[in-house]
Amino acid sequence: LSSDQLDEDAWEEIEDTLVTADVGVTAAAQIVESLRTKVKVLGTRTSADIRALLRTELLAQINPELDRVVHTEPRGESPAVVLVVGVNGTGKTTSCGKLARVLVGDGRSVVLGAADTFRAAAADQLETWGGRVGAPVVRRDEGADPASVAFDAVSRGIEDAADAVIVDTAGRLHTKTGLMDELGKVKRVVEKRSQVDEVLLVLDATTGQNGLRQARVFAEVVNITGIVLTKLDGTAKGGIVIQVQRELGVPVKLVGLGEGPDDLAPFDPEGFVDAILEAA
Amino acid sequence: MFETLSDRLTSVFSSLKGKGRLSEEDIATTAREIRLALLEADVALPVVREFIAHIKERARGEEVSKALNPAQQVIKIVNEELIAVLGGETREIRFAKRPPTVIMLAGLQGSGKTTLAGKLAKWLVAERNTPLLVAADLQRPNAVTQLQVVGERAGTQVFAPQPGNGVGDPVEVARESIEHARRNNHNVVIIDTAGRLGVDDEMMQQAADIRDAVTPDEILFVVDAMIGQDAVNTAQAFLDGVGYDGVVLTKLDGDARGGAALSIRHITGRPIMFASTGEKLEDFDVFHPDRMASRILDM
Ligand SMILES: Nc1nc2c(ncn2[C@@H]2O[C@H](COP(=O)(O)OP(=O)(O)OP(=O)(O)O)[C@@H](O)[C@H]2O)c(=O)[nH]1
Ligand SMILES: Nc1nc2c(ncn2[C@@H]2O[C@H](COP(=O)(O)OP(=O)(O)OP(=O)(O)O)[C@@H](O)[C@H]2O)c(=O)[nH]1
Ligand SMILES: [K+]
Ligand SMILES: [Mg+2]
Ligand SMILES: [Mg+2]
C-alpha cells in the first residue's frame, strides 16, 4: 500500500494482494468491499490505518477464536485415533511422521497405520518415518485392503495401550468416487473398533482455488475436523484456507514448514495474515 | 449466478441491440468478466492483466462489431488467444545424436516427478527404447524404493547405487549413471531428482550441479495442475535456478482448471509437452492446447 491517497488504485492493490495469496477473486472482492464500508464509516484516511484495518479484517476472516486443538489425548484406556487424508502429494505421510514426532516427544506412545497400500513404497516411506520418530508401523502387502490395515493399526494401538494411532491414507483426488468411497469405508471400518478423534485434511499451500473443492468433498465423505496446511516454507501463502474455513467451518490446526521431523507447528492466525500482507 | 464465461458474456451482451461497435463500457464489462473467469481458473494475476489488455484490443476491432453475436465472438477470440499462448511450437522429446539421451526431471515436492519418470520409461519402452531410470533423489524417505517399484512396473532397469534417505551424493549418482547407461546400452537416461522449493538456494544449486554433471538433452519442469497463483514464482525460480526446456502438467485427471498452464507458458515461453492424468503409468498423454483452453474457460 504505497499511496496515501485512497484512490481506486490503492483499493485495487489491496485486492491484488489477496488474489495473489490465493484468497480467491470473489472472496477478495468481498473483503475489500467490507473494508471500504468500514473506512467510510470510520473516516480513516492514511494507508497505515487501512493496513491495520485490513489486518483486522483478515484476522476476523480466519477467526482466531476457533478451537484448533488437535485431539490426540487418549480416552481412558483407548488411544486417540487420527485419520490423515487428502489429494495426491500434499504431504500426508510426512505430516503423519511429524505429528508422531511431536507426540512421542511429549512422552506418548504412538502407532502408525500404513493404510496407503496403493502408492509405490508408501508403507516403506511411513516405516522410515516410524523409525525416525520412534513409532511402530502396522503395514501389509501392497494392494491389501486399506480399511483392514487401518483396523489392524487401531487394534494394535488398543492392545498395546498406546496413546494415539495415526492412520496414513493414500492420496486420492476428490473427483474419483470409487477412491472416495474406499476412504469412507476406511473410516467406517475403524469406527467398528474405536471412535475417530481427528480427521485431518492435508492441503498443500501452493494449491489454488481447487483447494475448496477438495475440502468440500473430503468433508462430505469423512467429516474432516481440521486442516494441515503444508509447504508454507515456500513462497505460497495458502490463502484458499480462508474460503475453506468460512464455508465449512473447519479450522486450520497445523502447518507444515519443511521436510524435517520438527517442521510442524500449530497454526498461527497472526503469522498467516502477516505473511499475506508482506507483499502489500 | 452464471457459471461459465460464455453464460456471463451472453448476459453482458444481451442488452446490446444488433450490430455495432462495443462501447468502452461494454468492453470494460467484458474485460471484467474475463478477468474473473481467468482468476477463478488460477491464471496468475500479472498474466491475466496482459492477456486482458490484448483481448480488449481485439474486442474494439471489426470482428466483434460486425459479429451477429458479439458474446460468442469475444469467446471465440479468448479461446483463440488461449490456444495461441498454450500451443505455439508443441514438440516431442529431442533425442541426442549420440546416445544416451538424457532427460532430467525437476519440480516442487510432490508434483509427480517420480511417477512421471515411470510413465516416460514405460512409453519409451513401448517405442522400442531402452531407458534407464536414475535414483538421484536421495532425500525424500524411500524415494529410491519408490523409483525401484516404478521401474519394475515400467519394465526398465533402475540405477540406484545409493540407498538414499539422506545417504549418498545425487550429483555423483547422476554422473555415474551416464557411464552405466553407455556400458549397458541404454539409449535414454531419465533422472529423478528430489522435490525442492524455488526459494531453497542450496537445493536449487544441487539441481544445477546435477545438470552440469550430465548436460541433459531435456530438462522437464514437472508441475501440479492444482497450483494457484504461486505458479509464476515457482516457474521463474526453476527457470533461473536450473533452467528447463519443457513443462509437464500433472494431476490433470482432477477438476482443477489448470490456469497455471497459461501462466507458466506466458512467463517462461517454454512449451508444455506432456499431460499426466492419473497414478498409473499409462495415464500419460501429449499436451493438447485446445483441450486446456476449454478447461481453463470451463467450457
Ligand atoms: N517444503 C516442504 N515439503 C514438504 C512438506 N510436507 C511434505 N513435504 C514434501 O512433499 C513431498 C510429498 O510428501 P508426502 O508426505 O509423501 O505426501 P503424501 O500426501 O503422503 O503423498 P501421496 O501419499 O503420494 O499422496 C515430499 O517430498 C515431502 O518431503 C512441507 O511442509 N514443506
Ligand atoms: N491423480 C494423479 N496422481 C498423480 C499424478 N502424477 C502423480 N500422482 C500422484 O501424486 C503423488 C506424488 O507423486 P510423486 O511422483 O511421488 O511426486 P514427486 O514429485 O516425485 O514427489 P517428491 O519426490 O516427494 O518431490 C503420488 O501419490 C502419485 O501417485 C497424476 O497425473 N494424477
Ligand atoms: K510462505
Ligand atoms: Mg503418502
Ligand atoms: Mg519423487
Side-chain angles (χ1 to χ4, degrees), chain A residues 12 15-17 19-22 25-26 87-90 93-94 118-121 124-129 132 142 171-176 179 204-211 213-214 231 233-237 259, chain B residues 35-36 39-42 45-46 49 108-111 115 139-142 145-147 149-150 153 165 195-197 199-200 203 224 226-230 233-234 251-257 277-280 283 298:
Chain A
E12 200 179 300
E15 191 180 315
D16 290 356
T17 303
V19 167
T20 308
D22 291 314
V25 60
T26 309
V87 302
N88 306 86
T90 52
T93 306
T94 307
F118 180 76
R119 212 209 63 200
D124 299 322
Q125 186 189 354
L126 192 69
E127 206 152 48
T128 298
W129 272 104
R132 270 186 190 176
E142 204 179 288
R172 67 197 80 225
L173 294 180
H174 53 290
T175 48
K176 310 222 159 156
L179 293 177
D204 183 327
T206 60
T207 309
Q209 300 309 296
N210 195 246
R213 296 188 183 211
Q214 295 170 26
K231 309 185 195 175
D233 45 327
T235 39
K237 311 285 189 196
E259 299 184 73
Chain B
R35 175 178 180 275
L36 202 63
L39 287 174
E40 282 172 355
D42 290 319
L45 190 56
R49 277 208 196 96
L108 290 177
Q109 286 92 346
S111 60
T115 308
Q139 179 138 328
R140 172 193 169 148
N142 298 84
T145 333
Q146 185 189 359
L147 193 70
V149 173
V150 159
R153 288 182 191 164
N165 292 355
R196 64 200 78 224
L197 295 172
V199 285
D200 189 338
M203 283 298 285
D224 187 324
M226 295 181 273
I227 193 170
Q229 296 286 320
D230 194 51
N233 298 327
T234 297
K251 306 180 198 173
L252 274 170
D253 45 325
D255 61 355
R257 303 271 294 279
T277 55
E279 296 191 71
K280 298 201 202 75
D283 300 332
D298 201 12

Side-chain angles (χ1 to χ4, degrees), chain A residues 191-234:
Chain A
E191 280 167 340
K192 287 187 182 154
R193 197 77 173 88
S194 162
Q195 159 183 339
V196 173
D197 300 270
E198 278 286 351
V199 182
L200 297 175
L201 173 71
V202 181
L203 269 182
D204 183 327
T206 60
T207 309
Q209 300 309 296
N210 195 246
L212 180 59
R213 296 188 183 211
Q214 295 170 26
R216 279 182 189 146
V217 181
F218 277 97
E220 203 178 293
V221 175
V222 285
N223 191 24
I224 53 177
T225 57
I227 310 272
V228 183
L229 186 61
T230 57
K231 309 185 195 175
L232 265 185
D233 45 327

Side-chain angles (χ1 to χ4, degrees), chain B residues 235-255:
Chain B
Q236 191 62 51
F238 274 83
L239 196 65
D240 297 341
V242 58
Y244 46 89
D245 308 287
V247 179
V248 181
L249 219 54
T250 64
K251 306 180 198 173
L252 274 170
D253 45 325
D255 61 355

Side-chain angles (χ1 to χ4, degrees), chain A residues 118-192:
Chain A
F118 180 76
R119 212 209 63 200
D124 299 322
Q125 186 189 354
L126 192 69
E127 206 152 48
T128 298
W129 272 104
R132 270 186 190 176
V133 304
V137 177
V138 173
R139 64 177 291 180
R140 286 229 204 123
D141 290 342
E142 204 179 288
D145 174 23
S148 62
V149 182
F151 185 88
D152 286 355
V154 172
S155 303
R156 167 81 182 273
I158 293 169
E159 281 156 24
D160 291 5
D163 295 312
V165 179
I166 304 172
V167 179
D168 183 26
T169 64
R172 67 197 80 225
L173 294 180
H174 53 290
T175 48
K176 310 222 159 156
T177 41
L179 293 177
M180 292 307 291
D181 288 349
E182 178 196 86
L183 184 63
K185 183 182 156 201
V186 169
K187 186 171 179 229
R188 282 194 307 278
V189 169
V190 166
E191 280 167 340
K192 287 187 182 154

